[in-house]
Amino acid sequence: MEGHARRASPQFKYHLNIAYGSAVETIELLEILRDHSLIPVTDAETTLAAAIETRALLLGLLRRYS
């Protein structure tokens, strides 16, 4: 992850915010793909679970370094 070496710096928090936003967007896109049957449901559910976990982890990091 970019900014990793600058843990407590504003740049690190900036990169965490970008990563969190990307995770949110990924979840929304996966839900659209699933809801419109553009990808197999099992693939969507597996990938969504990973994306949701990633979003939660990023939120935890954002809270920790805020």
Side-chain angles (χ1 to χ4, degrees), residues 38-50:
L38 297 171
I39 59 175
V41 173
T42 54
D43 292 344
E45 294 302 327
T46 301
T47 309
L48 266 169

Side-chain angles (χ1 to χ4, degrees), residues 39-64:
I39 59 175
V41 173
T42 54
D43 292 344
E45 294 302 327
T46 301
T47 309
L48 266 169
I52 290 167
E53 182 179 359
T54 300
R55 180 186 61 188
L57 293 169
L58 287 164
L59 185 57
L61 284 170
L62 281 167
R63 287 180 177 156
R64 179 177 180 171

Side-chain angles (χ1 to χ4, degrees), residues 6-23:
R6 303 177 178 107
R7 285 210 182 143
S9 74
Q11 291 136 342
F12 181 66
K13 294 172 194 170
Y14 171 77
H15 287 290
L16 283 177
N17 276 311
I18 290 172
Y20 180 78
S22 295

